[in-house]
Amino acid sequence: MNISKTLIAILMILSLLGMATRASAQDDPPVDDPVLRALADELARSMTLELEDLGRPYFVEYAVDDTDSLTISASYGAVVSSDQNRSRRLRSHVRVGSYQLDNTNFSGGGGGGMGGRARRGGGGGRGAGDTALPIEDNYTAIRQAIWSATDDAYKAAVQQFTEKQAYMADRETSGRPDDFSQEEPLLVIEPRMEQSFDAPLWEKNLRAISARFLESGKITEADVDLRVSATNNYLVNSEGTRQRTGLSRTLLAVSASGLTADGERLSDEEQFFAFAPEQLPTLEELLSSVDALIQRLEATLDAPTLDNYTGPVLIDSLAAAQMFHALLASGLGGMPEPVGAGRRRAARGESLDRLLGRRILPRFMQVYDDPRAELFDGTLLAGSYKVDDQGVLAQRISIVEEGKLVGMAMSRAPTGEFSGSNGHGRGRRGMPEATAGCLYVEASKGQPEAALKEALIELAADQGLTFGIRISSLRGDTSGGAEEGMRAAFMRRQQGGGGGPTLPDPILIHKVFVEDGREERVRSGEFGDFDVGRLKEILIAGDSRTVLNQFGLLGSGVPQSVIAPAVLYEELDLYRIEQEQVRKPILEAPGSRR
Amino acid sequence: MKLRPALLVFFLLAAPGLCAGQDPLLKQAPPEHELIQLLAGELEYSAGALVTDEGTRPYYLAYTVTDNSSVSVQARFGALQTDRATRSRVLDVDVRVGDYGLDSSHELRGSARGGGFRRGAAGAKRIALENHPAAIRHAAWQATDRAFKDAVETYQQVLTNVQTMVEEESADDFSREDPSVRTEPEAVLEIDRKEWVRRVRAVSAMALAHPLIYSSDVSLVGGATNKYMVTSEQTRIVTGQKLLRVALSASTRAEDGMELSQTQIFNASTEEGLPSEEAMSAAFKEVIDMVLALREAPLVDPYTGPAILLNRASGVFFHEIFGHRIEGHRQKSVDEGQTFTRMIDMQILPAFLNVVDDPTLQRFGGEDLRGFYRYDDEGVAASRVELVKDGVLKTFLLSRSPVLQFNHSNGHGRREPGNDVVSRQGNLMISSSTAVSYRKLREMLVDECEKQNKPYGFLFADITGGFTSTSRGGPQAFKVLPVVVYRIFADGRPDELVRGVDIVGTPLSCFSKIVCTGDDPAVFNGSCGAESGWVPVSAVSPSLLVEQIEIEKRQRSQERLPILTPPIGE
């Protein structure tokens, strides 16, 4: 891909958004793009869909992801897979009824919390209604596919609406928020993003990166995965929105694991995010990061285990960002309770709306979400975007003021507290959901790193301990051992009872000795009970912040960024992980044989 | 218990390629191939050095790398829908602990693991696409370690299990076979992608003229598969095959909402064997015409009476109803219905019927056979197996898992990479000693109708597939799904196309009702899914006259017709 083209594209976005015009439903797409034309023409026809007396749609929306992607995996110096793919996926979305009451937000009376996605026969779910479009610009063939998908979507919608009305007729359901908010239409047409991928170059680079693990006798599994994608996102709706925006994303993930002498499998990872692959660090820089990862993981594997600990804990900025992601970001999407279901749990954790107006952080901390900036302090933000997946301009929203939860990320599905979208409706696979984008956590009287460490030592001394604990990273969600690790953590929690979102296990743990401030690596700890309620116990925060880019489990979710400072706790519990041990390999690894 | 939906046969894909010399029996020098050398080196080391603290060693170790390249192009209404090429290499590691008599593959009876055979594949792994020694060794090492530990653990369970459970029979777990050594030239896919993109696009555009065709597809899928196998018994094999397929399909809905679809497939084992654009256009026209005709065809009520299964339909019928029941492992598992286990040397089919399974056959009647292979997935040479002679059951399809008195594999151990091998069909061939012309068969059908006082019988011209339950917990029943069915009237009226019927029955009673066969054997090429994954198969059969067949109404969607006219109809 051409970097200057990307920059031009980004500039175009800015300038176009600067003059983003309000469109009216009669506007024709201003450019001759067969996809856009097919979407608009078929949309106009779809508004006339009618089955007996069941009513026409009041809203129809089509989203198309036109994606070119390159995916390469390498392991131990060789390429394991390298695939290029072109796809065009259509998500068609039909609403019948009215903004106040429509077919969505209904879980069929049977519970299950799939509001807004309930489908006939109980089927469906995420990705339902996703249709493959032709990958070439054939106007008629594209329309044919849209027509067929819309027919299905409309029939499903009238069925849901009939069921929802029948359900509501026998029950007290007054005082519900509207089902859908009205928003201004948007007209943004960017130049179509065209890409070519240099697959041979990246195969070569991945070979070189993955070959680094051949030297390590301790690391037994290592994978290097690159995914580069360039997507032209289309959004067309019956309110007049016409959008075509280009977006490229590159994610290079290096994950590794090995066994400790006592048979515990430990993993670690490095992730590199960029929009265009050319924005990634140079090969030399990547190699030295991987060498650092190897060194780090080997040191962890050799480290002594942590004994059960209660005392002060300093959570470094990266680990803190992971903590805020797990406990805060996952619950910030405001979502209505669907008709026919009890209280709903958000897919990625419990919704925090029950805490609105309450203190969730210390008084000196603020949180806001602002997806508009692409950079923070020189680091690219994966969670950034200009327009959300419902065609609403991204907005800055205040989340926590003086420690109190005051705002939520909102999509076009209103809740009791918030009636409209604030540009946070995201998700290209199923129906978009309210999701945090770029979450900025800041402290008004942040302390420098050295001061935090000093405070940790003082607290430890004060509690009569010989050392305090510093944690510099938690288990990430793209690491190769992630699934295994999550399963293990889940099993442990099952045995110990408890529920709700908790923190991933810390990977990098250091004892900081009171005596002389020296540090010693330890491993195999997990947090005691640690939920969102404990965020307000933060004692001090740092003055510098680190970016965490997140992509959902194994890179499958909606990208988010969290920017957070280090935080110091006066007292946390850390336990030694007790888990079934893995037997060491029987044979020497090939690299270690003579 | 559950049906085994995995036992569906779809007619998919294409016939296998002949890439090698014609002389499978000639022993050759061990392959010089780089990958074979690499695998053999690692295997030798592992086989020698793998030992637990308690002294347990593997008695058998095998590495198989399946290297698959494929190209897929697909178009709909004149526009490209898919255009991609992929390549993958999968390493399967098979480790056995114990000995040939009793080993880690032994069925665990009364096991909480779902009973029956282990669905292990603990050792399957995607590996480097290039012959990079360090990377491949590392992958083999990882997979071997995992598979060996798994086998050791399972073997411990087996030892406990055989002491506590009653054994129904006590055949060995693994047969002793001579090692195979052979090198075939590697198969290389040579598809002119540009030309095929143009061609599928052009042919698919024919559907634009038919607004009632709601969906359609024209596609080419080509695959070249090279397998590299080394075992601790000194088997060293390189095989290369190609499977190519052109598929043309179209679908619509009848006024009552029933979904109707038709597909035609061309199979080939070489690029040259693929159809011309004219042949594809003609086939697509037939598909479209048939779908539109079905739309107008009447529904029929449940019925019992005489019927003809046309040759290709008979092939599917035999594959489902008969073929799956003579797979060797089904005679060993206590969960299986074992319809034929105790029937060796007994009459199970009418005396005029013979059945063989012959994977060594590459072509039949000018058509490439998809069930062709020279070595099975345990490295045993494929062989022609006489299963039924004059209606009498002679043996089973056998992998290296011995059954009853049958101590050797007959080269039918097959799998899709990533699964454990079980015995599977290859080319199932049905023949008859009392064949009559198709015309005569029709006359006999009419006679049968009159004899049974039925106004009509049925002709099943095409069957997409079906499913059957062979497990002991379920009914020993089957259902096959015909897609082209005619009513044949006893009074001489013209045949009438009908829709919405499935054939149901039980195998033993059904076989006993086969009256006569045609002299018109034809090939059905398909893919068969079962415990060991999807494998390419063929069935060759003449038309069958059955004096009584039972049909039931097909379950159908209540979906209404599309509300708006399709864009292509505007």
Side-chain angles (χ1 to χ4, degrees):
Chain A
M1 191 182 17
N2 188 325
I3 180 94
S4 61
K5 216 178 251 174
T6 311
L7 286 176
I8 290 167
I10 290 167
L11 290 172
M12 293 289 282
I13 302 173
L14 295 174
S15 60
L16 278 163
L17 286 179
M19 49 182 195
T21 44
R22 298 273 140 89
S24 72
Q26 286 73 42
D27 278 348
D28 284 323
V31 287
D32 189 34
D33 177 331
V35 177
L36 215 44
R37 207 148 48 80
L39 290 169
D41 290 352
E42 213 39 46
L43 183 111
R45 260 178 19 117
S46 298
M47 294 304 286
T48 69
L49 277 165
E50 192 159 16
L51 206 52
E52 286 139 29
D53 54 350
L54 292 171
R56 295 183 170 197
Y58 79 92
F59 178 84
V60 175
E61 182 175 86
Y62 297 124
V64 172
D65 287 5
D66 186 342
T67 305
D68 273 304
S69 66
L70 168 69
T71 315
I72 305 174
S73 298
S75 192
Y76 290 94
V79 171
V80 172
S81 68
S82 177
D83 293 302
Q84 289 194 51
N85 193 27
R86 172 80 195 274
S87 71
R88 262 191 195 149
R89 308 295 304 180
L90 166 74
R91 170 170 57 80
S92 47
H93 186 35
V94 174
R95 290 174 181 256
V96 294
S98 65
Y99 287 94
Q100 289 71 42
L101 179 67
D102 69 19
N103 54 297
T104 67
N105 224 352
F106 175 54
S107 69
M114 293 292 286
R117 292 204 217 97
R119 296 264 299 177
R120 276 165 308 172
R126 197 170 285 272
D130 202 6
T131 308
L133 292 186
I135 56 174
E136 35 187 24
D137 290 343
N138 181 317
Y139 170 79
T140 308
I142 294 172
R143 272 189 64 190
Q144 185 78 0
I146 301 169
W147 161 76
S148 175
T150 315
D151 192 72
D152 286 347
Y154 171 73
K155 286 171 182 165
V158 291
Q159 171 124 7
Q160 284 160 8
F161 192 46
T162 311
E163 283 170 18
K164 183 178 175 182
Q165 285 173 308
Y167 182 90
M168 291 177 74
D170 330 332
R171 289 171 178 81
E172 172 55 49
T173 50
S174 60
R176 287 184 45 78
D178 287 358
D179 278 329
F180 199 47
S181 69
Q182 304 208 31
E183 306 290 343
E184 294 290 341
L186 187 76
L187 180 61
V188 187
I189 307 295
E190 290 178 10
R192 236 167 109 141
M193 180 175 273
E194 304 292 338
Q195 301 258 19
S196 61
F197 302 116
D198 193 345
L201 171 73
W202 283 100
E203 286 172 6
K204 187 166 144 265
N205 289 350
L206 261 67
R207 277 190 200 102
I209 294 168
S210 65
R212 288 302 228 246
F213 291 95
L214 284 167
E215 307 299 317
S216 171
K218 295 196 178 89
I219 294 174
T220 53
E221 296 196 25
D223 295 295
V224 183
D225 298 288
L226 174 77
R227 182 179 155 83
V228 187
S229 65
T231 303
N232 287 295
N233 289 325
Y234 293 85
L235 192 82
V236 166
N237 71 28
S238 53
E239 294 168 334
T241 288
R242 301 288 183 269
Q243 178 197 341
R244 184 183 69 195
T245 48
L247 178 68
S248 68
R249 282 205 171 100
T250 301
L251 180 62
L252 175 64
V254 184
S255 60
S257 71
L259 288 179
T260 62
D262 57 1
E264 187 181 345
R265 181 167 289 284
L266 295 178
S267 61
D268 202 345
E269 62 175 352
E270 275 291 337
Q271 272 189 22
F272 307 91
F273 169 78
F275 295 106
E278 292 77 8
Q279 295 171 313
L280 286 177
T282 63
L283 180 59
E284 287 68 40
E285 289 165 337
L286 289 171
L287 289 173
S288 65
S289 295
V290 169
D291 290 343
L293 166 67
I294 291 172
Q295 243 176 28
R296 207 165 69 210
L297 180 54
E298 286 182 343
T300 311
L301 289 167
D302 283 342
T305 57
L306 173 79
D307 295 319
N308 292 348
Y309 170 87
T310 300
V313 176
L314 173 59
I315 301 177
D316 285 351
S317 51
L318 175 64
Q322 291 176 298
M323 173 183 85
F324 285 112
H325 179 260
L327 299 183
L328 196 58
S330 61
L332 285 180
M335 282 181 240
E337 289 173 31
V339 171
R343 188 178 171 78
R344 150 186 199 158
R345 292 204 154 204
R348 294 168 300 279
E350 195 179 0
S351 175
L352 296 179
D353 52 8
R354 70 193 157 89
L355 297 175
L356 274 168
R358 307 257 304 272
R359 177 174 312 291
I360 63 166
L361 280 173
R363 217 177 278 279
F364 59 84
M365 293 188 80
Q366 290 77 242
V367 180
Y368 63 90
D369 189 289
D370 189 352
R372 296 171 302 175
E374 290 179 332
L375 275 174
F376 174 82
D377 204 11
T379 304
L380 296 169
L381 301 176
S384 66
Y385 57 92
K386 304 290 176 216
V387 182
D388 76 3
D389 295 324
Q390 293 180 311
V392 180
L393 287 170
Q395 294 168 33
R396 175 184 160 132
I397 46 172
S398 188
I399 304 282
V400 176
E401 288 173 9
E402 294 187 345
K404 279 189 184 158
L405 182 65
V406 296
M408 304 279 287
M410 291 298 298
S411 71
R412 294 188 65 176
T415 62
E417 291 82 12
F418 303 99
S419 60
S421 170
N422 51 30
H424 284 78
R426 300 177 68 205
R428 308 284 305 183
R429 297 190 182 186
M431 188 185 292
E433 286 186 354
T435 309
C438 295
L439 199 66
Y440 294 79
V441 180
E442 57 187 19
S444 47
K445 38 173 197 179
Q447 306 272 325
E449 205 175 313
L452 289 171
K453 186 169 169 180
E454 221 158 89
L456 171 72
I457 290 172
E458 269 174 39
L459 284 170
D462 190 51
Q463 293 175 30
L465 298 166
T466 56
F467 61 87
I469 290 287
R470 180 169 77 86
I471 291 171
S472 47
S473 81
L474 311 184
R475 188 191 288 278
D477 57 10
T478 59
S479 92
E483 256 180 296
E484 197 179 315
M486 292 198 2
R487 209 177 309 125
F490 177 77
M491 294 303 287
R492 277 185 270 126
R493 267 174 218 131
Q494 287 289 94
Q495 286 154 11
T502 42
L503 281 187
D505 296 334
I507 295 182
L508 294 180
I509 313 170
H510 319 262
K511 284 182 179 176
V512 179
F513 286 91
V514 169
E515 191 181 25
D516 52 4
R518 75 177 196 282
E519 300 198 355
E520 182 188 297
R521 207 42 178 284
V522 287
R523 63 173 168 89
S524 306
E526 64 177 326
F527 289 105
D529 286 342
F530 196 146
D531 60 16
V532 68
R534 301 203 61 178
L535 291 178
K536 56 180 176 290
E537 295 170 22
I538 291 170
L539 206 59
I540 316 175
D543 62 356
S544 67
R545 292 185 285 169
T546 297
V547 174
L548 168 75
N549 283 318
Q550 282 288 28
F551 304 89
L553 184 61
L554 304 171
S556 63
V558 172
Q560 292 181 313
S561 299
V562 179
I563 298 100
V567 296
L568 178 65
Y569 272 92
E570 184 171 355
E571 188 174 289
L572 286 181
D573 297 322
L574 286 166
Y575 298 109
R576 160 98 173 93
I577 293 180
E578 300 293 348
Q579 64 182 33
E580 202 185 331
Q581 294 185 348
V582 183
R583 274 183 297 159
K584 299 283 282 180
I586 292 166
L587 301 180
E588 289 275 315
S592 322
R593 289 176 214 150
R594 54 196 87 245
Chain B
M1 238 171 76
K2 63 196 180 244
L3 276 178
R4 289 173 188 265
L7 297 187
L8 273 168
V9 171
F10 293 118
F11 58 105
L12 281 183
L13 300 182
L18 162 61
C19 308
Q22 301 287 322
D23 205 346
L25 296 175
L26 260 187
K27 282 251 166 109
Q28 298 185 344
E32 293 296 316
H33 196 277
E34 208 182 349
L35 182 55
I36 287 281
Q37 306 282 2
L38 204 53
L39 293 172
E42 190 63 20
L43 181 113
E44 202 168 306
Y45 176 80
S46 301
L50 269 179
V51 55
T52 64
D53 293 344
E54 297 77 35
T56 308
R57 293 174 178 277
Y59 79 95
Y60 175 84
L61 180 59
Y63 292 156
T64 308
V65 169
T66 306
D67 184 327
N68 180 269
S69 302
S70 76
V71 165
S72 169
V73 293
Q74 178 204 4
R76 184 177 296 169
F77 296 112
L80 211 53
Q81 207 57 37
T82 308
D83 177 15
R84 66 183 306 183
T86 57
R87 177 149 175 255
S88 69
R89 262 185 179 178
V90 177
L91 168 71
D92 278 289
V93 175
D94 295 285
V95 186
R96 288 173 180 260
V97 170
D99 58 42
Y100 289 90
L102 180 73
D103 72 18
S104 44
S105 75
H106 195 80
E107 183 185 16
L108 287 170
R109 286 158 210 251
S111 151
R113 288 161 90 164
F117 285 82
R118 206 158 49 86
R119 294 221 48 187
K125 191 173 172 63
R126 283 191 77 156
I127 62 157
L129 298 177
E130 48 230 17
N131 294 332
H132 183 295
I136 287 176
R137 277 209 203 98
H138 196 95
W141 166 71
Q142 278 182 345
T144 306
D145 191 70
R146 205 169 299 161
F148 176 61
K149 284 172 181 164
D150 190 65
V152 169
E153 197 183 315
T154 311
Y155 185 56
Q156 286 307 317
Q157 293 169 6
V158 166
L159 290 178
T160 315
N161 199 255
V162 292
Q163 284 172 4
T164 54
M165 308 295 281
V166 181
E167 294 274 307
E168 287 196 0
E169 65 147 314
S170 55
D172 281 358
D173 281 334
F174 203 45
S175 67
R176 289 169 201 271
E177 310 289 348
D178 291 333
S180 305
V181 176
R182 183 180 176 85
T183 312
E184 292 180 5
E186 291 178 20
V188 181
L189 212 51
E190 283 162 351
I191 287 174
D192 183 346
R193 232 164 117 183
K194 267 205 179 127
E195 162 57 17
W196 276 98
V197 161
R198 189 200 61 74
R199 197 183 287 187
V200 296
R201 200 193 269 136
V203 174
S204 74
M206 289 168 62
L208 287 167
H210 302 277
L212 284 174
I213 298 297
Y214 300 148
S215 188
S216 59
D217 267 308
V218 176
S219 65
L220 164 75
V221 177
T225 302
N226 292 297
K227 286 190 190 178
Y228 307 85
M229 183 176 193
V230 302
T231 75
S232 54
E233 297 170 332
Q234 299 309 312
T235 282
R236 302 282 185 271
I237 307 176
V238 179
T239 57
Q241 278 196 332
K242 284 192 247 185
L243 290 176
L244 303 113
R245 169 198 89 183
V246 167
L248 308 113
S249 65
S251 66
T252 186
R253 277 182 197 283
E255 292 288 340
D256 59 14
M258 180 177 284
E259 290 197 43
L260 300 164
S261 66
Q262 284 289 300
T263 303
Q264 278 204 30
I265 309 265
F266 294 91
N267 283 289
S269 58
T270 58
E271 287 80 356
E272 297 72 45
L274 288 169
S276 66
E277 188 169 341
E278 294 68 38
M280 286 168 64
S281 299
F284 199 37
K285 180 171 188 312
E286 277 178 27
V287 163
I288 290 170
D289 289 348
M290 181 53 84
V291 169
L292 296 176
L294 279 171
R295 218 175 163 271
E296 308 301 326
L299 287 165
V300 288
D301 291 324
Y303 164 91
T304 310
I308 289 174
L309 293 168
L310 206 60
N311 41 28
R312 284 164 37 85
S314 299
V316 179
F317 183 78
F318 263 96
H319 170 93
E320 287 299 340
I321 316 313
F322 177 78
H324 280 299
R325 287 187 167 73
I326 43 138
E327 291 164 340
H329 62 287
R330 301 200 194 287
Q331 324 308 324
K332 288 182 98 168
S333 172
V334 292
D335 291 331
E336 289 289 337
Q338 303 187 340
T339 312
F340 297 129
T341 306
R342 304 289 162 197
M343 297 182 96
I344 290 291
D345 291 328
M346 290 166 69
Q347 184 90 35
I348 59 162
L349 291 178
F352 55 85
L353 284 178
N354 299 304
V355 184
V356 301
D357 193 287
D358 187 1
T360 67
L361 209 59
Q362 293 163 24
R363 293 171 70 79
F364 181 90
E367 266 191 81
D368 292 333
L369 296 179
R370 271 170 65 79
F372 161 74
Y373 57 90
R374 284 208 178 81
Y375 290 90
D376 73 4
D377 294 316
E378 292 177 314
V380 177
S383 67
R384 179 180 191 273
V385 178
E386 196 164 72
L387 294 162
V388 175
K389 172 93 178 131
D390 300 329
V392 175
L393 181 65
K394 290 296 174 191
T395 188
F396 301 108
L397 297 170
L398 297 165
S399 66
R400 290 186 67 176
S401 175
V403 176
L404 302 171
Q405 68 268 40
F406 305 108
N407 287 322
H408 284 284
S409 168
N410 52 31
H412 282 80
R414 304 184 71 194
R415 69 164 154 211
E416 181 183 1
N419 297 280
D420 286 340
V421 167
V422 298
S423 52
R424 302 288 293 268
Q425 299 166 64
N427 293 321
L428 190 73
M429 326 275 299
I430 290 86
S431 62
S432 161
S433 53
T434 59
V436 300
S437 69
Y438 175 66
R439 197 193 154 102
K440 173 73 181 153
L441 208 62
R442 278 193 60 128
E443 287 169 18
M444 290 170 74
L445 174 70
V446 171
D447 292 347
E448 194 61 42
C449 285
E450 280 164 359
K451 202 167 88 189
Q452 294 182 30
N453 206 13
K454 302 274 182 188
Y456 54 82
F458 282 100
L459 168 65
F460 297 94
D462 198 2
I463 293 180
T464 48
F467 41 91
T468 186
S469 163
T470 64
S471 74
R472 199 171 288 188
Q476 291 298 299
F478 66 83
K479 181 180 254 191
V480 293
L481 312 170
V483 285
V484 179
V485 183
Y486 294 92
R487 196 156 24 193
I488 296 182
F489 293 96
D491 62 10
R493 264 180 285 167
D495 299 349
E496 180 188 39
L497 185 68
V498 297
R499 65 186 168 94
V501 294
D502 291 335
I503 304 175
V504 291
T506 51
L508 289 174
S509 81
C510 199
F511 293 138
S512 68
K513 299 205 164 75
I514 299 171
V515 182
C516 188
T517 76
D519 59 0
D520 55 351
V523 178
F524 182 95
N525 277 314
S527 285
C528 170
E531 295 91 327
S532 66
W534 289 92
V535 296
V537 294
S538 301
V540 178
S541 174
S543 300
L544 301 177
L545 174 63
V546 186
E547 68 183 355
Q548 194 182 57
I549 212 156
E550 186 175 344
I551 62 171
E552 63 177 29
K553 281 194 173 188
R554 179 166 300 174
Q555 186 188 8
R556 66 182 166 86
S557 138
Q558 300 298 314
E559 185 92 56
R560 290 159 180 269
L561 294 184
I563 298 164
L564 303 175
T565 54
I568 63 170
E570 282 205 320

